[in-house]
Amino acid sequence: MGLEEKLPSGFLLTTVEQVVGFVRKSSMWPATFGLACCAIEMMSAGGPRFDIARFGMERFSATPRQADLMIVAGRVSQKMAPVLRQIYDQMAEPKWVIAMGVCASSGGMFNNYAIVQGVDHIVPVDIYLPGCPPRPEMLLDAVLKLHDKVQNTKLGAHREREIEEIEQRKLRTLPLVQRTEGVTP
Amino acid sequence: MLDWLDPVKGFGVTFTTMFKKVPTVEYPEVKAPTMPRFHGRHQLNRWPDGLEKCIGCELCAWACPADAIYVEGGDNTEEERYSPGERYGRVYQINYLRCILCGLCIEACPTRALTMTNEYELADDDRESLIYTKEQLLAPLLPGMEAPPHPMRLGDTEEEYYRMGREQPEAAVSGASADKDSEAAR
């Protein structure tokens, strides 16, 4: 089709999207957003045993303006919600969010009026990480899954088309309860 | 007097560190096994002939402090049997966005149908795919097991079935030989 078919083998060809994805994922600085017990596991992931710096996350940025990834570690109370949103808004694009732990993902066992039932009510979440609290390996696993997602993100018009496709697919799918209703397992 | 030696001492610490063992785990490449009783993803177990152990009693759902488990029971019939006894879990869902992996459901389970595995890599980018359905939670069919629905292979009455099921080693039993054994025992 294009140039790549006329070249002899051994040439390293790639697309701009792949290069941009690789660059973005290789140096992704997390913002510290430890709110509860999950923060201890997040700190442990930053320590020498689990060493998140192996994945290009050299340091946990204390300022949101130099951070690319917000790891929401812990339950978000209603009072903390506007602060969380402000931190997210202060981060520079492109930015990603990991909801670490069940409390950040869906409210977890705190199904009450004080806790936001999932941070996706406030900010768009890229990876949900269950566990109470998830062990550092689980956080590393979530980070690697996010890396994979970032690597394969499209750009510009392609990205818009991708978003449209995902939207249409989501609109067509039935809720899980309705899907399993007629089917005997 | 010997103040000029201080920087050298400082580098001495750096130098000796080079010969120390590195404590960093090599996580994605080398997955260190967890503790044997680690609370990971759940599993719905089977009897040695492949029938499900879950009887759809919903005790796990009642024990759950986070309301993460959803169970709908169904009635077994002679033509369509999923578990020994009267009832089976027709719908079984665990919402891992709510589940805190505390293990209270395991303690509540009267038939030891629900146990936990050591699997912990659960992260996903979709809320819906983190609600695990029964097909995802059921234990894989070991050799000798037969996918339900099928009649009870380990004995004709329930009492006989449960006794045979406990005495047979889990992996070695095949449906046909279990039938013969039960006849011989009679």
mmCIF file of all heavy atoms in Angstrom, chain A residues 116-164:
data_model
loop_
_atom_site.group_PDB
_atom_site.id
_atom_site.type_symbol
_atom_site.label_atom_id
_atom_site.label_comp_id
_atom_site.label_asym_id
_atom_site.label_seq_id
_atom_site.Cartn_x
_atom_site.Cartn_y
_atom_site.Cartn_z
ATOM 1 N N VAL A 116 -18.686 10.063 48.219
ATOM 2 C CA VAL A 116 -19.052 10.088 46.804
ATOM 3 C C VAL A 116 -19.042 8.656 46.278
ATOM 4 O O VAL A 116 -18.070 7.935 46.478
ATOM 5 C CB VAL A 116 -18.054 10.951 46.009
ATOM 6 C CG1 VAL A 116 -18.369 10.906 44.537
ATOM 7 C CG2 VAL A 116 -18.063 12.375 46.518
ATOM 8 N N GLN A 117 -20.111 8.243 45.629
ATOM 9 C CA GLN A 117 -20.218 6.852 45.179
ATOM 10 C C GLN A 117 -19.471 6.659 43.859
ATOM 11 O O GLN A 117 -20.053 6.457 42.806
ATOM 12 C CB GLN A 117 -21.679 6.458 45.037
ATOM 13 C CG GLN A 117 -22.443 6.524 46.348
ATOM 14 C CD GLN A 117 -21.901 5.544 47.371
ATOM 15 O OE1 GLN A 117 -21.845 4.360 47.130
ATOM 16 N NE2 GLN A 117 -21.476 6.039 48.524
ATOM 17 N N GLY A 118 -18.175 6.726 43.957
ATOM 18 C CA GLY A 118 -17.327 6.581 42.772
ATOM 19 C C GLY A 118 -16.859 7.932 42.278
ATOM 20 O O GLY A 118 -17.668 8.832 42.074
ATOM 21 N N VAL A 119 -15.527 8.080 42.061
ATOM 22 C CA VAL A 119 -15.033 9.387 41.621
ATOM 23 C C VAL A 119 -15.425 9.692 40.186
ATOM 24 O O VAL A 119 -15.224 10.801 39.732
ATOM 25 C CB VAL A 119 -13.503 9.500 41.747
ATOM 26 C CG1 VAL A 119 -13.103 9.790 43.154
ATOM 27 C CG2 VAL A 119 -12.810 8.299 41.215
ATOM 28 N N ASP A 120 -15.976 8.711 39.476
ATOM 29 C CA ASP A 120 -16.380 9.032 38.098
ATOM 30 C C ASP A 120 -17.622 9.924 38.081
ATOM 31 O O ASP A 120 -18.056 10.320 37.011
ATOM 32 C CB ASP A 120 -16.561 7.768 37.252
ATOM 33 C CG ASP A 120 -17.385 6.739 37.951
ATOM 34 O OD1 ASP A 120 -17.877 7.034 39.047
ATOM 35 O OD2 ASP A 120 -17.537 5.637 37.404
ATOM 36 N N HIS A 121 -18.167 10.222 39.252
ATOM 37 C CA HIS A 121 -19.178 11.274 39.302
ATOM 38 C C HIS A 121 -18.541 12.646 39.117
ATOM 39 O O HIS A 121 -19.225 13.603 38.766
ATOM 40 C CB HIS A 121 -19.906 11.243 40.648
ATOM 41 C CG HIS A 121 -20.825 10.068 40.796
ATOM 42 N ND1 HIS A 121 -22.050 10.015 40.179
ATOM 43 C CD2 HIS A 121 -20.687 8.912 41.463
ATOM 44 C CE1 HIS A 121 -22.627 8.862 40.489
ATOM 45 N NE2 HIS A 121 -21.814 8.174 41.257
ATOM 46 N N ILE A 122 -17.242 12.741 39.378
ATOM 47 C CA ILE A 122 -16.580 14.041 39.393
ATOM 48 C C ILE A 122 -15.583 14.180 38.251
ATOM 49 O O ILE A 122 -15.546 15.185 37.563
ATOM 50 C CB ILE A 122 -15.840 14.240 40.739
ATOM 51 C CG1 ILE A 122 -16.784 13.982 41.900
ATOM 52 C CG2 ILE A 122 -15.294 15.642 40.834
ATOM 53 C CD1 ILE A 122 -16.057 13.717 43.180
ATOM 54 N N VAL A 123 -14.743 13.162 38.072
ATOM 55 C CA VAL A 123 -13.708 13.219 37.034
ATOM 56 C C VAL A 123 -13.817 11.965 36.171
ATOM 57 O O VAL A 123 -14.297 10.940 36.631
ATOM 58 C CB VAL A 123 -12.295 13.300 37.659
ATOM 59 C CG1 VAL A 123 -12.097 14.614 38.369
ATOM 60 C CG2 VAL A 123 -12.031 12.155 38.604
ATOM 61 N N PRO A 124 -13.389 12.056 34.897
ATOM 62 C CA PRO A 124 -13.389 10.842 34.066
ATOM 63 C C PRO A 124 -12.283 9.890 34.503
ATOM 64 O O PRO A 124 -11.133 10.284 34.623
ATOM 65 C CB PRO A 124 -13.124 11.378 32.651
ATOM 66 C CG PRO A 124 -12.460 12.668 32.869
ATOM 67 C CD PRO A 124 -12.973 13.231 34.144
ATOM 68 N N VAL A 125 -12.655 8.641 34.741
ATOM 69 C CA VAL A 125 -11.697 7.653 35.245
ATOM 70 C C VAL A 125 -11.258 6.745 34.099
ATOM 71 O O VAL A 125 -12.080 6.304 33.299
ATOM 72 C CB VAL A 125 -12.342 6.821 36.375
ATOM 73 C CG1 VAL A 125 -11.406 5.731 36.836
ATOM 74 C CG2 VAL A 125 -12.689 7.707 37.544
ATOM 75 N N ASP A 126 -9.976 6.485 34.003
ATOM 76 C CA ASP A 126 -9.460 5.611 32.945
ATOM 77 C C ASP A 126 -9.365 4.165 33.399
ATOM 78 O O ASP A 126 -9.659 3.260 32.626
ATOM 79 C CB ASP A 126 -8.084 6.098 32.498
ATOM 80 C CG ASP A 126 -8.181 7.418 31.782
ATOM 81 O OD1 ASP A 126 -8.632 7.416 30.641
ATOM 82 O OD2 ASP A 126 -7.852 8.445 32.398
ATOM 83 N N ILE A 127 -8.884 3.942 34.603
ATOM 84 C CA ILE A 127 -8.732 2.569 35.091
ATOM 85 C C ILE A 127 -9.351 2.463 36.478
ATOM 86 O O ILE A 127 -9.073 3.290 37.348
ATOM 87 C CB ILE A 127 -7.244 2.158 35.164
ATOM 88 C CG1 ILE A 127 -6.592 2.143 33.790
ATOM 89 C CG2 ILE A 127 -7.094 0.810 35.807
ATOM 90 C CD1 ILE A 127 -6.878 0.945 32.953
ATOM 91 N N TYR A 128 -10.184 1.478 36.657
ATOM 92 C CA TYR A 128 -10.720 1.168 37.980
ATOM 93 C C TYR A 128 -9.908 0.033 38.567
ATOM 94 O O TYR A 128 -9.675 -0.968 37.899
ATOM 95 C CB TYR A 128 -12.178 0.730 37.889
ATOM 96 C CG TYR A 128 -13.086 1.773 37.311
ATOM 97 C CD1 TYR A 128 -13.333 1.817 35.955
ATOM 98 C CD2 TYR A 128 -13.682 2.714 38.129
ATOM 99 C CE1 TYR A 128 -14.152 2.777 35.417
ATOM 100 C CE2 TYR A 128 -14.508 3.682 37.599
ATOM 101 C CZ TYR A 128 -14.743 3.705 36.247
ATOM 102 O OH TYR A 128 -15.552 4.649 35.715
ATOM 103 N N LEU A 129 -9.501 0.213 39.806
ATOM 104 C CA LEU A 129 -8.671 -0.805 40.453
ATOM 105 C C LEU A 129 -9.383 -1.282 41.706
ATOM 106 O O LEU A 129 -9.436 -0.576 42.696
ATOM 107 C CB LEU A 129 -7.304 -0.200 40.795
ATOM 108 C CG LEU A 129 -6.360 -1.035 41.631
ATOM 109 C CD1 LEU A 129 -6.061 -2.337 40.961
ATOM 110 C CD2 LEU A 129 -5.071 -0.281 41.861
ATOM 111 N N PRO A 130 -9.974 -2.473 41.698
ATOM 112 C CA PRO A 130 -10.627 -2.965 42.910
ATOM 113 C C PRO A 130 -9.615 -3.431 43.948
ATOM 114 O O PRO A 130 -8.426 -3.526 43.667
ATOM 115 C CB PRO A 130 -11.475 -4.137 42.413
ATOM 116 C CG PRO A 130 -11.081 -4.380 41.024
ATOM 117 C CD PRO A 130 -10.038 -3.433 40.613
ATOM 118 N N GLY A 131 -10.122 -3.741 45.137
ATOM 119 C CA GLY A 131 -9.254 -4.161 46.228
ATOM 120 C C GLY A 131 -9.420 -3.224 47.405
ATOM 121 O O GLY A 131 -9.762 -2.072 47.225
ATOM 122 N N CYS A 132 -9.210 -3.762 48.611
ATOM 123 C CA CYS A 132 -9.482 -2.926 49.778
ATOM 124 C C CYS A 132 -8.458 -3.147 50.863
ATOM 125 O O CYS A 132 -8.709 -3.914 51.769
ATOM 126 C CB CYS A 132 -10.876 -3.195 50.315
ATOM 127 S SG CYS A 132 -11.337 -2.083 51.644
ATOM 128 N N PRO A 133 -7.319 -2.482 50.856
ATOM 129 C CA PRO A 133 -6.782 -1.741 49.716
ATOM 130 C C PRO A 133 -6.084 -2.691 48.746
ATOM 131 O O PRO A 133 -5.681 -3.763 49.147
ATOM 132 C CB PRO A 133 -5.776 -0.791 50.358
ATOM 133 C CG PRO A 133 -5.345 -1.493 51.585
ATOM 134 C CD PRO A 133 -6.482 -2.348 52.043
ATOM 135 N N PRO A 134 -5.949 -2.305 47.496
ATOM 136 C CA PRO A 134 -5.212 -3.156 46.555
ATOM 137 C C PRO A 134 -3.746 -3.212 46.945
ATOM 138 O O PRO A 134 -3.193 -2.207 47.384
ATOM 139 C CB PRO A 134 -5.396 -2.460 45.208
ATOM 140 C CG PRO A 134 -5.840 -1.089 45.521
ATOM 141 C CD PRO A 134 -6.472 -1.105 46.846
ATOM 142 N N ARG A 135 -3.140 -4.369 46.787
ATOM 143 C CA ARG A 135 -1.723 -4.458 47.112
ATOM 144 C C ARG A 135 -0.909 -3.736 46.046
ATOM 145 O O ARG A 135 -1.417 -3.507 44.942
ATOM 146 C CB ARG A 135 -1.291 -5.908 47.270
ATOM 147 C CG ARG A 135 -1.652 -6.793 46.119
ATOM 148 C CD ARG A 135 -1.517 -8.241 46.472
ATOM 149 N NE ARG A 135 -0.140 -8.704 46.402
ATOM 150 C CZ ARG A 135 0.392 -9.499 47.339
ATOM 151 N NH1 ARG A 135 -0.316 -9.909 48.332
ATOM 152 N NH2 ARG A 135 1.646 -9.893 47.243
ATOM 153 N N PRO A 136 0.327 -3.356 46.346
ATOM 154 C CA PRO A 136 1.102 -2.570 45.377
ATOM 155 C C PRO A 136 1.214 -3.234 44.015
ATOM 156 O O PRO A 136 1.234 -2.545 42.990
ATOM 157 C CB PRO A 136 2.464 -2.434 46.053
ATOM 158 C CG PRO A 136 2.195 -2.535 47.489
ATOM 159 C CD PRO A 136 1.038 -3.450 47.642
ATOM 160 N N GLU A 137 1.257 -4.571 43.993
ATOM 161 C CA GLU A 137 1.299 -5.247 42.693
ATOM 162 C C GLU A 137 0.055 -4.939 41.870
ATOM 163 O O GLU A 137 0.127 -4.805 40.648
ATOM 164 C CB GLU A 137 1.397 -6.765 42.875
ATOM 165 C CG GLU A 137 2.782 -7.274 43.175
ATOM 166 C CD GLU A 137 2.883 -7.675 44.617
ATOM 167 O OE1 GLU A 137 2.167 -7.064 45.442
ATOM 168 O OE2 GLU A 137 3.672 -8.593 44.926
ATOM 169 N N MET A 138 -1.079 -4.835 42.556
ATOM 170 C CA MET A 138 -2.313 -4.534 41.841
ATOM 171 C C MET A 138 -2.256 -3.122 41.260
ATOM 172 O O MET A 138 -2.733 -2.872 40.152
ATOM 173 C CB MET A 138 -3.519 -4.649 42.774
ATOM 174 C CG MET A 138 -3.829 -6.056 43.181
ATOM 175 S SD MET A 138 -4.966 -6.138 44.545
ATOM 176 C CE MET A 138 -6.533 -6.098 43.741
ATOM 177 N N LEU A 139 -1.650 -2.199 42.001
ATOM 178 C CA LEU A 139 -1.499 -0.834 41.476
ATOM 179 C C LEU A 139 -0.574 -0.842 40.269
ATOM 180 O O LEU A 139 -0.854 -0.202 39.250
ATOM 181 C CB LEU A 139 -0.963 0.089 42.568
ATOM 182 C CG LEU A 139 -0.728 1.537 42.126
ATOM 183 C CD1 LEU A 139 -2.011 2.172 41.660
ATOM 184 C CD2 LEU A 139 -0.124 2.363 43.238
ATOM 185 N N LEU A 140 0.520 -1.608 40.373
ATOM 186 C CA LEU A 140 1.444 -1.684 39.239
ATOM 187 C C LEU A 140 0.729 -2.291 38.032
ATOM 188 O O LEU A 140 0.926 -1.848 36.900
ATOM 189 C CB LEU A 140 2.671 -2.522 39.600
ATOM 190 C CG LEU A 140 3.595 -1.943 40.670
ATOM 191 C CD1 LEU A 140 4.793 -2.848 40.859
ATOM 192 C CD2 LEU A 140 4.048 -0.560 40.319
ATOM 193 N N ASP A 141 -0.094 -3.283 38.293
ATOM 194 C CA ASP A 141 -0.861 -3.909 37.214
ATOM 195 C C ASP A 141 -1.793 -2.891 36.567
ATOM 196 O O ASP A 141 -1.893 -2.824 35.337
ATOM 197 C CB ASP A 141 -1.653 -5.077 37.795
ATOM 198 C CG ASP A 141 -2.588 -5.689 36.782
ATOM 199 O OD1 ASP A 141 -2.091 -6.043 35.706
ATOM 200 O OD2 ASP A 141 -3.780 -5.825 37.082
ATOM 201 N N ALA A 142 -2.452 -2.067 37.395
ATOM 202 C CA ALA A 142 -3.347 -1.044 36.848
ATOM 203 C C ALA A 142 -2.561 -0.024 36.043
ATOM 204 O O ALA A 142 -2.989 0.403 34.957
ATOM 205 C CB ALA A 142 -4.085 -0.342 37.983
ATOM 206 N N VAL A 143 -1.377 0.335 36.545
ATOM 207 C CA VAL A 143 -0.537 1.303 35.830
ATOM 208 C C VAL A 143 -0.127 0.734 34.471
ATOM 209 O O VAL A 143 -0.151 1.431 33.453
ATOM 210 C CB VAL A 143 0.697 1.656 36.692
ATOM 211 C CG1 VAL A 143 1.769 2.316 35.855
ATOM 212 C CG2 VAL A 143 0.299 2.552 37.842
ATOM 213 N N LEU A 144 0.211 -0.567 34.452
ATOM 214 C CA LEU A 144 0.630 -1.176 33.190
ATOM 215 C C LEU A 144 -0.535 -1.256 32.208
ATOM 216 O O LEU A 144 -0.361 -1.068 31.008
ATOM 217 C CB LEU A 144 1.205 -2.565 33.449
ATOM 218 C CG LEU A 144 2.563 -2.545 34.154
ATOM 219 C CD1 LEU A 144 2.961 -3.932 34.555
ATOM 220 C CD2 LEU A 144 3.608 -1.926 33.269
ATOM 221 N N LYS A 145 -1.736 -1.533 32.736
ATOM 222 C CA LYS A 145 -2.907 -1.571 31.853
ATOM 223 C C LYS A 145 -3.191 -0.184 31.299
ATOM 224 O O LYS A 145 -3.597 -0.036 30.146
ATOM 225 C CB LYS A 145 -4.104 -2.113 32.615
ATOM 226 C CG LYS A 145 -4.133 -3.628 32.637
ATOM 227 C CD LYS A 145 -5.209 -4.177 33.532
ATOM 228 C CE LYS A 145 -5.146 -5.710 33.525
ATOM 229 N NZ LYS A 145 -5.831 -6.318 34.641
ATOM 230 N N LEU A 146 -2.977 0.839 32.132
ATOM 231 C CA LEU A 146 -3.150 2.214 31.653
ATOM 232 C C LEU A 146 -2.109 2.548 30.598
ATOM 233 O O LEU A 146 -2.413 3.180 29.582
ATOM 234 C CB LEU A 146 -3.058 3.186 32.832
ATOM 235 C CG LEU A 146 -3.214 4.660 32.453
ATOM 236 C CD1 LEU A 146 -4.613 4.926 31.959
ATOM 237 C CD2 LEU A 146 -2.910 5.562 33.622
ATOM 238 N N HIS A 147 -0.869 2.092 30.822
ATOM 239 C CA HIS A 147 0.178 2.314 29.830
ATOM 240 C C HIS A 147 -0.222 1.729 28.486
ATOM 241 O O HIS A 147 -0.048 2.363 27.449
ATOM 242 C CB HIS A 147 1.482 1.653 30.299
ATOM 243 C CG HIS A 147 2.247 2.491 31.276
ATOM 244 N ND1 HIS A 147 3.431 2.103 31.818
ATOM 245 C CD2 HIS A 147 1.986 3.701 31.809
ATOM 246 C CE1 HIS A 147 3.872 3.037 32.641
ATOM 247 N NE2 HIS A 147 3.001 4.014 32.665
ATOM 248 N N ASP A 148 -0.754 0.522 28.542
ATOM 249 C CA ASP A 148 -1.178 -0.136 27.313
ATOM 250 C C ASP A 148 -2.266 0.671 26.613
ATOM 251 O O ASP A 148 -2.279 0.806 25.397
ATOM 252 C CB ASP A 148 -1.681 -1.531 27.670
ATOM 253 C CG ASP A 148 -1.959 -2.350 26.438
ATOM 254 O OD1 ASP A 148 -1.067 -2.398 25.575
ATOM 255 O OD2 ASP A 148 -3.055 -2.906 26.334
ATOM 256 N N LYS A 149 -3.162 1.219 27.416
ATOM 257 C CA LYS A 149 -4.255 2.016 26.869
ATOM 258 C C LYS A 149 -3.734 3.305 26.235
ATOM 259 O O LYS A 149 -4.158 3.692 25.144
ATOM 260 C CB LYS A 149 -5.223 2.353 28.007
ATOM 261 C CG LYS A 149 -6.614 2.693 27.569
ATOM 262 C CD LYS A 149 -7.479 2.942 28.784
ATOM 263 C CE LYS A 149 -8.703 3.722 28.385
ATOM 264 N NZ LYS A 149 -9.506 4.100 29.558
ATOM 265 N N VAL A 150 -2.769 3.935 26.928
ATOM 266 C CA VAL A 150 -2.208 5.196 26.433
ATOM 267 C C VAL A 150 -1.436 4.940 25.146
ATOM 268 O O VAL A 150 -1.526 5.700 24.181
ATOM 269 C CB VAL A 150 -1.298 5.818 27.518
ATOM 270 C CG1 VAL A 150 -0.511 6.980 26.948
ATOM 271 C CG2 VAL A 150 -2.125 6.276 28.688
ATOM 272 N N GLN A 151 -0.707 3.821 25.119
ATOM 273 C CA GLN A 151 0.079 3.482 23.935
ATOM 274 C C GLN A 151 -0.810 3.355 22.703
ATOM 275 O O GLN A 151 -0.449 3.779 21.624
ATOM 276 C CB GLN A 151 0.828 2.168 24.196
ATOM 277 C CG GLN A 151 1.515 1.547 22.998
ATOM 278 C CD GLN A 151 2.866 2.185 22.733
ATOM 279 O OE1 GLN A 151 3.788 2.064 23.516
ATOM 280 N NE2 GLN A 151 2.970 2.871 21.610
ATOM 281 N N ASN A 152 -1.987 2.810 22.888
ATOM 282 C CA ASN A 152 -2.858 2.550 21.745
ATOM 283 C C ASN A 152 -3.939 3.600 21.550
ATOM 284 O O ASN A 152 -4.919 3.354 20.876
ATOM 285 C CB ASN A 152 -3.493 1.169 21.904
ATOM 286 C CG ASN A 152 -2.448 0.085 21.845
ATOM 287 O OD1 ASN A 152 -1.582 0.093 20.984
ATOM 288 N ND2 ASN A 152 -2.486 -0.825 22.802
ATOM 289 N N THR A 153 -3.767 4.769 22.171
ATOM 290 C CA THR A 153 -4.730 5.850 21.955
ATOM 291 C C THR A 153 -4.463 6.513 20.619
ATOM 292 O O THR A 153 -3.319 6.731 20.232
ATOM 293 C CB THR A 153 -4.605 6.892 23.092
ATOM 294 O OG1 THR A 153 -4.776 6.228 24.327
ATOM 295 C CG2 THR A 153 -5.653 7.968 22.950
ATOM 296 N N LYS A 154 -5.545 6.810 19.914
ATOM 297 C CA LYS A 154 -5.397 7.448 18.617
ATOM 298 C C LYS A 154 -5.357 8.968 18.781
ATOM 299 O O LYS A 154 -5.608 9.497 19.863
ATOM 300 C CB LYS A 154 -6.551 7.031 17.720
ATOM 301 C CG LYS A 154 -6.491 5.566 17.367
ATOM 302 C CD LYS A 154 -7.620 5.171 16.455
ATOM 303 C CE LYS A 154 -7.382 3.834 15.785
ATOM 304 N NZ LYS A 154 -6.953 2.778 16.677
ATOM 305 N N LEU A 155 -5.058 9.665 17.693
ATOM 306 C CA LEU A 155 -4.903 11.121 17.763
ATOM 307 C C LEU A 155 -5.863 11.808 16.797
ATOM 308 O O LEU A 155 -6.280 11.239 15.795
ATOM 309 C CB LEU A 155 -3.479 11.522 17.381
ATOM 310 C CG LEU A 155 -2.355 11.186 18.368
ATOM 311 C CD1 LEU A 155 -1.029 11.574 17.753
ATOM 312 C CD2 LEU A 155 -2.540 11.905 19.669
ATOM 313 N N GLY A 156 -6.198 13.060 17.096
ATOM 314 C CA GLY A 156 -6.935 13.939 16.181
ATOM 315 C C GLY A 156 -8.254 13.359 15.726
ATOM 316 O O GLY A 156 -9.085 12.940 16.519
ATOM 317 N N ALA A 157 -8.451 13.336 14.393
ATOM 318 C CA ALA A 157 -9.712 12.875 13.819
ATOM 319 C C ALA A 157 -9.949 11.397 14.127
ATOM 320 O O ALA A 157 -11.075 10.968 14.355
ATOM 321 C CB ALA A 157 -9.711 13.103 12.315
ATOM 322 N N HIS A 158 -8.863 10.612 14.146
ATOM 323 C CA HIS A 158 -8.992 9.182 14.475
ATOM 324 C C HIS A 158 -9.561 9.002 15.877
ATOM 325 O O HIS A 158 -10.393 8.137 16.111
ATOM 326 C CB HIS A 158 -7.625 8.496 14.407
ATOM 327 C CG HIS A 158 -7.129 8.346 13.014
ATOM 328 N ND1 HIS A 158 -6.312 7.326 12.627
ATOM 329 C CD2 HIS A 158 -7.341 9.088 11.909
ATOM 330 C CE1 HIS A 158 -6.040 7.441 11.350
ATOM 331 N NE2 HIS A 158 -6.648 8.517 10.904
ATOM 332 N N ARG A 159 -9.083 9.839 16.782
ATOM 333 C CA ARG A 159 -9.534 9.759 18.166
ATOM 334 C C ARG A 159 -11.024 10.093 18.248
ATOM 335 O O ARG A 159 -11.777 9.409 18.954
ATOM 336 C CB ARG A 159 -8.713 10.731 19.016
ATOM 337 C CG ARG A 159 -9.135 10.817 20.471
ATOM 338 C CD ARG A 159 -8.814 9.555 21.237
ATOM 339 N NE ARG A 159 -9.324 9.631 22.602
ATOM 340 C CZ ARG A 159 -9.658 8.588 23.327
ATOM 341 N NH1 ARG A 159 -9.548 7.380 22.825
ATOM 342 N NH2 ARG A 159 -10.089 8.722 24.549
ATOM 343 N N GLU A 160 -11.428 11.123 17.519
ATOM 344 C CA GLU A 160 -12.854 11.486 17.536
ATOM 345 C C GLU A 160 -13.716 10.337 17.031
ATOM 346 O O GLU A 160 -14.766 10.028 17.594
ATOM 347 C CB GLU A 160 -13.090 12.749 16.685
ATOM 348 C CG GLU A 160 -12.826 14.032 17.460
ATOM 349 C CD GLU A 160 -12.587 15.219 16.547
ATOM 350 O OE1 GLU A 160 -13.140 15.212 15.416
ATOM 351 O OE2 GLU A 160 -11.849 16.133 16.961
ATOM 352 N N ARG A 161 -13.243 9.694 15.961
ATOM 353 C CA ARG A 161 -13.995 8.561 15.419
ATOM 354 C C ARG A 161 -14.039 7.409 16.423
ATOM 355 O O ARG A 161 -15.066 6.752 16.604
ATOM 356 C CB ARG A 161 -13.350 8.095 14.112
ATOM 357 C CG ARG A 161 -14.364 7.449 13.149
ATOM 358 C CD ARG A 161 -13.700 7.033 11.862
ATOM 359 N NE ARG A 161 -12.939 8.106 11.255
ATOM 360 C CZ ARG A 161 -11.734 7.938 10.686
ATOM 361 N NH1 ARG A 161 -11.165 6.765 10.651
ATOM 362 N NH2 ARG A 161 -11.101 8.966 10.151
ATOM 363 N N GLU A 162 -12.910 7.184 17.085
ATOM 364 C CA GLU A 162 -12.833 6.111 18.088
ATOM 365 C C GLU A 162 -13.828 6.372 19.222
ATOM 366 O O GLU A 162 -14.568 5.482 19.639
ATOM 367 C CB GLU A 162 -11.409 6.050 18.645
ATOM 368 C CG GLU A 162 -11.122 4.822 19.487
ATOM 369 C CD GLU A 162 -9.759 4.888 20.168
ATOM 370 O OE1 GLU A 162 -9.226 6.004 20.333
ATOM 371 O OE2 GLU A 162 -9.253 3.823 20.537
ATOM 372 N N ILE A 163 -13.870 7.634 19.668
ATOM 373 C CA ILE A 163 -14.794 7.990 20.757
ATOM 374 C C ILE A 163 -16.235 7.766 20.309
ATOM 375 O O ILE A 163 -17.052 7.212 21.047
ATOM 376 C CB ILE A 163 -14.575 9.466 21.184
ATOM 377 C CG1 ILE A 163 -13.242 9.604 21.899
ATOM 378 C CG2 ILE A 163 -15.699 9.947 22.088
ATOM 379 C CD1 ILE A 163 -12.826 11.010 22.189
ATOM 380 N N GLU A 164 -16.516 8.157 19.083
ATOM 381 C CA GLU A 164 -17.873 7.976 18.542
ATOM 382 C C GLU A 164 -18.249 6.499 18.496
ATOM 383 O O GLU A 164 -19.351 6.097 18.882
ATOM 384 C CB GLU A 164 -17.928 8.595 17.140
ATOM 385 C CG GLU A 164 -19.267 8.495 16.455
ATOM 386 C CD GLU A 164 -20.340 9.327 17.157
ATOM 387 O OE1 GLU A 164 -19.984 10.311 17.839
ATOM 388 O OE2 GLU A 164 -21.515 8.960 17.030
#
